């Protein structure tokens, strides 16, 4: 498997440190507001990685955090300023921040299920790992990488010489104003130092600590939770493009300063979802959420395919025509699978070749457009030659364990549908039209449409 690594800026071999077992951490949602599609691009990429690893026969331990405290509004600088996003939302909506966090976390799970994103093995919440964060901060203070000042604790960026390796934002570049603002505070030794623990008497979520009551900085949360569940060094860390700096840059500095070991072996970041040429952040105009798109008539799998068919690192323009295109592609796949054909000669050659090429495409830095092209070609070949249709359908279903874009596999439901159809046929024969209509309606509710043809009744999914 070859995969681009943000840290070394090249496509390199990816193999888990423990043979056959990948340990992966994904930066998850900050649960103050329903996430928009830009966030889901990162989660869908993580899901694609997980499914690809499983296709390769590796076991995956996947951890995705839930940030329910400490993520401040001005998060493009290492030492974020402004208000806690949850706190701000709580004040605006006159609700308890805990209540908002749980509500939005629920929406997150709802939306990711709509997009067929598999359950991670753990979803640790920041608020449930405060002791682990405090322990890590204590270790950083003890070994001189951090210092306390007036109830705040700061990480001393100057103590970590390779700061900036991931993002390019070295202290020299930051001094030259590369990243714009820095948070100047009188209690900091350097303007680039960032908070590990914050003292703020007005904050609604606070915990006791050796430095007084306060709350953790966003970056230390992921350092502490990833270490707890995946160890000092793990295989893969993912996130959105906005996480590279400052969030992941700071995670590396904290984690490596505590353990003295390499933190992450491979960094993967997806590209931006762009809107009218601008990156799709909360500031860039119309923000689409998953339910908004579903309301507009797109299936979750349409949205998923829209997110996955472009290479994960390329910028992806958010345009409804691209969602329409994804819907048409899915239609072609689903029709191919359901199509009734005259029995053709068995032939596994085309499907076997496609299987090898599909896998090779994914192993090549997740080349999904090539992987989809392989499937298209296979369908074209089968349609032309009439041979190997069963083998092709079987392979498409196999490929769908990674892509997850086909209509739900219908083996089991088929039997149920056939049973109801037989029951309806019997009802019609005995002129019990009330019963036969009821069965038709019942199936329609499940998205199954019955077609009475001279050859008998057929069904199709709507
Ligand atoms: Zn994170």
């Amino acid at each position: 498997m070859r995969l681009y690594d943000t840290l070394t800026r090249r496509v390199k071999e990816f193999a888990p440190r423990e043979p056959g077992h990948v340990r992966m951490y994904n930066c998850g949602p900050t649960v103050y507001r329903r996430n928009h599609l830009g966030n889901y691009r990162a989660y869908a990429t993580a899901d694609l990685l997980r499914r690809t690893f499983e296709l390769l026969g590796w076991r995956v331990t996947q951890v995705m955090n839930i940030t329910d405290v400490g993520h401040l509004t001005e998060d493009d600088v290492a030492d974020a300023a402004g208000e806690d996003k949850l706190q701000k939302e709580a004040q605006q909506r006159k609700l308890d921040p805990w209540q908002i966090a749980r509500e939005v976390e629920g929406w997150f799970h709802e939306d990711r299920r709509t997009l067929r994103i598999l359950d991670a093995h753990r979803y640790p919440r920041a608020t449930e790992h405060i002791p682990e964060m405090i322990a890590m901060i204590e270790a950083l203070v003890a070994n001189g990488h951090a210092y306390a000042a007036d109830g705040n604790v700061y990480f001393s960026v100057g103590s970590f010489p390779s700061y900036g390796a991931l993002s390019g934002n070295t202290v020299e570049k930051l001094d030259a104003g590369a990243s714009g603002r820095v948070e100047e505070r009188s209690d900091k030794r350097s303007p680039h130092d960032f908070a590990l623990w914050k003292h703020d008497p007005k904050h609604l979520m606070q915990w006791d600590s050796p430095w007084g009551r306060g709350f953790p900085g966003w970056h230390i949360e992921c350092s502490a939770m990833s270490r707890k569940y995946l160890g000092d060094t793990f295989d893969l860390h993912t996130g959105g493009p906005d996480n590279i700096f400052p969030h992941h840059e700071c995670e590396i500095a904290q984690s490596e300063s505590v353990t003295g070991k390499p933190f992450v072996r491979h960094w993967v970041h997806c590209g931006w979802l762009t809107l009218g040429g601008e990156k799709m952040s909360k500031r860039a105009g119309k923000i689409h959420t998953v339910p908004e798109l579903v309301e507009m008539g797109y299936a979750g799998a349409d949205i998923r395919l829209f997110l996955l068919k472009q290479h994960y690192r390329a910028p992806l323009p958010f345009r409804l025509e691209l969602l329409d295109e994804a819907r048409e592609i899915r239609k072609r796949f689903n029709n191919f699978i359901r199509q009734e054909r005259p029995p053709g000669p068995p032939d596994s050659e085309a499907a076997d070749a496609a299987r090898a090429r599909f896998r090779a495409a994914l192993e090549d830095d997740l080349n999904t457009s090539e992987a989809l092209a392989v499937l298209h070609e296979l369908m074209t070949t089968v349609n032309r030659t009439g041979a190997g249709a069963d083998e092709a359908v079987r392979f498409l279903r196999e490929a769908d364990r990674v892509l997850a874009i086909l209509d739900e596999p219908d083996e089991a439901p088929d039997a149920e549908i056939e049973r109801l159809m037989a029951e309806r046929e019997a009802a019609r024969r005995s002129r019990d039209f009330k019963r036969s209509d009821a069965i038709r309606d019942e199936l329609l509710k499940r998205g199954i449409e019955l077609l009475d043809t001279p050859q008998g009744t057929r069904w199709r999914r709507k």
Side-chain angles (χ1 to χ4, degrees), residues 25 27-28 65 218 222 237 247-248 251:
Y25 187 87
C27 275
N65 68 292
W218 175 33
C222 284
H237 194 317
H247 187 49
H248 291 164
E251 280 185 39

Side-chain angles (χ1 to χ4, degrees), residues 173-199:
K173 285 219 182 112
L174 291 170
D175 276 337
S179 88
R181 298 171 301 113
V182 288
E183 177 72 352
E184 299 271 5
R185 287 177 62 109
S186 57
D187 58 347
K188 291 201 310 197
R189 295 180 190 163
S190 155
H192 308 304
D193 293 351
F194 57 88
L196 302 170
W197 189 261
K198 279 183 178 267
H199 165 74

Side-chain angles (χ1 to χ4, degrees), residues 261-282:
K261 299 177 199 162
F263 174 41
V264 165
R265 300 173 69 238
H266 219 109
W267 286 92
V268 171
H269 296 92
C270 66
W272 292 99
L273 186 67
T274 62
L275 184 68
E278 266 187 274
K279 65 184 189 183
M280 191 165 173
S281 68
K282 283 122 238 172

Side-chain angles (χ1 to χ4, degrees), residues 38-60:
N39 305 112
Y40 283 97
R41 189 177 187 198
Y43 314 146
T45 302
D47 186 63
L48 177 66
L49 279 163
R50 147 99 177 261
R51 289 170 179 268
T52 300
F53 296 150
E54 288 177 345
L55 176 83
L56 300 181
W58 294 335
R59 180 159 86 88
V60 181

